[in-house]
Amino acid sequence: MMDKGDNVPEPLLEKTQDSIEESLKLFKRWHNKSNERIRYAFSPRFALSCSEELLRDVGTIAIENKTIVHTHAAETQQEVETLLKQTGMRNIEYLEHLNLTHENLCLAHCVWLNDNELDIIKKGKVKVLHCPNSNLKLGSGVARISDMIYNSINVSIGVDAALFNANMDIFTEMRRAISLQTQKTLSPEQTFKMATIEGAKALGLEREIGSIEVGKKADIVILNNPRLGNEDMLLTMLNFTEPSDVETVLIDGRIILKNREFLSVDENEIIQASHTETKKLVSRAEKFGFK
């Protein structure tokens, strides 16, 4: 959702009410579909691309519909400084001013936060989505993840977009997360929780997914990695596991991947379809001035 900003390509710049109506339409069409595995989130891009009206309305709509607001915040120092000039407030302070800092809010990045902003996040039970690979690739900085966890803030692991990551691998994200925070003692157990149950909490789904328990949806990944036989299995997994080590995957109790072969889709067919869609995306991008 974007309804302001000098750097927003004109075809993507929406009128405020049109953006809200389109999002509501998508919410009604898709939320809780596919045995409730599809959940909708309202997604204003970030404060610099969204008007006060849009952000306020989205916050209210999310509470009324008991769904998530997902946006980016405090990713770069320049972003923080620009917002300060425009509003006189830092990112999280500005979101609090707009009544957005509640438990339905999920914030990607949160690299450049001061102590007051950490307090606002803690008080509002806002969720933080840590994207270590993206932050490193773009030189954005290192988020204060250990401080957040110490202050009982919910932190999960995200990947940002493929454009800003080039590796959408959760094992690599866990590795980067723990290596960036080593000096501040982020343990393997905390890191693994960020990738599992803390992610479920961020989505409000901790009663359904995020851990292997009776009554949950049976989302299970089975690894086949000979290195995992030693004593400190979790640390070894974080340091040495690759996507190729995933042998079997169950989603909602249904086996999707077995012995590294997909059972529910034709892999070659998906790859060919992706090539077709890529050409369409390139054509659309060229209309926005990208080549």
Side-chain angles (χ1 to χ4, degrees):
M1 305 174 75
M2 293 184 284
D3 68 341
K4 62 169 274 194
D6 296 334
N7 296 322
V8 179
E10 188 175 345
L12 298 180
L13 195 62
E14 306 169 291
K15 292 181 179 179
T16 305
Q17 197 55 42
D18 290 346
S19 182
I20 291 169
E21 288 176 3
E22 178 66 18
S23 293
L24 278 169
K25 187 187 300 182
L26 289 168
F27 170 79
K28 292 172 182 176
R29 180 180 178 185
W30 292 109
H31 191 58
N32 283 335
K33 294 297 189 294
S34 188
N35 195 27
E36 298 187 350
R37 298 200 64 83
I38 297 176
R39 307 292 176 101
Y40 188 82
F42 290 87
S43 300
R45 184 188 175 201
F46 70 151
L48 296 179
S49 296
C50 300
S51 66
E52 284 195 25
E53 179 186 356
L54 178 66
L55 291 170
R56 282 187 187 277
D57 286 353
V58 162
T60 301
I61 291 168
I63 291 176
E64 290 173 350
N65 290 281
K66 297 180 181 179
T67 192
I68 291 168
V69 177
H70 173 278
T71 188
H72 292 207
E75 180 178 359
T76 67
Q77 208 167 7
Q78 182 183 7
E79 175 194 339
V80 175
E81 291 169 355
T82 302
L83 192 65
L84 265 170
K85 289 178 182 177
Q86 291 183 3
T87 68
M89 290 173 274
R90 296 173 63 88
N91 290 64
I92 311 304
E93 296 166 346
Y94 180 63
L95 294 175
E96 182 186 40
H97 166 70
L98 299 177
N99 299 319
L100 257 170
T101 50
H102 47 66
E103 61 184 354
N104 295 61
L105 181 64
C106 291
L107 296 177
H109 305 299
C110 292
V111 176
W112 296 93
L113 303 184
N114 62 20
D115 289 344
N116 180 50
E117 290 176 296
L118 286 179
D119 288 341
I120 293 171
I121 286 175
K122 180 179 180 179
K123 180 178 66 177
K125 297 182 180 179
V126 175
K127 313 304 190 301
V128 173
L129 319 178
H130 180 37
C131 304
N133 268 336
S134 173
N135 296 158
L136 282 174
K137 180 178 179 179
L138 300 179
S140 302
V142 179
R144 298 169 59 184
I145 300 304
S146 296
D147 291 340
M148 294 178 196
I149 292 174
Y150 178 79
N151 282 282
S152 301
I153 293 170
N154 174 267
V155 183
S156 57
I157 293 182
V159 296
D160 203 1
L163 177 64
F164 306 122
N165 189 314
N167 189 336
M168 312 295 276
D169 168 25
I170 189 61
F171 300 111
T172 301
E173 296 295 340
M174 285 192 285
R175 226 169 0 255
R176 292 287 185 270
I178 197 169
S179 63
L180 286 174
Q181 305 291 325
T182 296
Q183 293 179 341
K184 297 184 179 180
T185 62
L186 181 64
S187 70
E189 289 78 15
Q190 288 171 323
T191 306
F192 187 66
K193 285 182 178 179
M194 287 164 58
T196 53
I197 190 63
E198 297 304 311
K201 289 177 182 176
L203 300 174
L205 299 176
E206 65 270 26
R207 294 183 180 181
E208 301 177 36
I209 60 173
S211 58
I212 300 175
E213 298 180 57
V214 174
K216 289 195 173 183
K217 285 185 176 292
D219 292 353
I220 299 171
V221 174
I222 300 173
L223 304 175
N224 187 348
N225 183 344
R227 298 172 181 169
L228 299 183
N230 65 22
E231 292 182 7
D232 198 342
M233 187 169 65
L234 185 56
L235 183 59
T236 304
M237 186 196 76
L238 293 178
N239 284 329
F240 297 109
T241 302
E242 303 292 340
S244 57
D245 295 320
V246 175
E247 183 178 76
T248 300
V249 176
L250 287 83
I251 298 177
D252 202 2
R254 180 186 176 197
I255 299 176
I256 301 299
L257 182 80
K258 185 176 182 180
N259 295 326
R260 299 187 174 91
E261 292 186 6
F262 287 102
L263 303 184
S264 59
V265 296
D266 185 316
E267 188 172 355
N268 290 326
E269 187 178 306
I270 295 295
I271 291 171
Q272 289 301 317
S274 73
H275 292 324
T276 301
E277 293 301 320
T278 298
K279 292 177 182 178
K280 293 179 183 178
L281 285 170
V282 170
S283 177
R284 287 168 56 193
E286 288 175 346
K287 295 178 182 179
F288 297 161
F290 297 106
K291 295 182 179 180

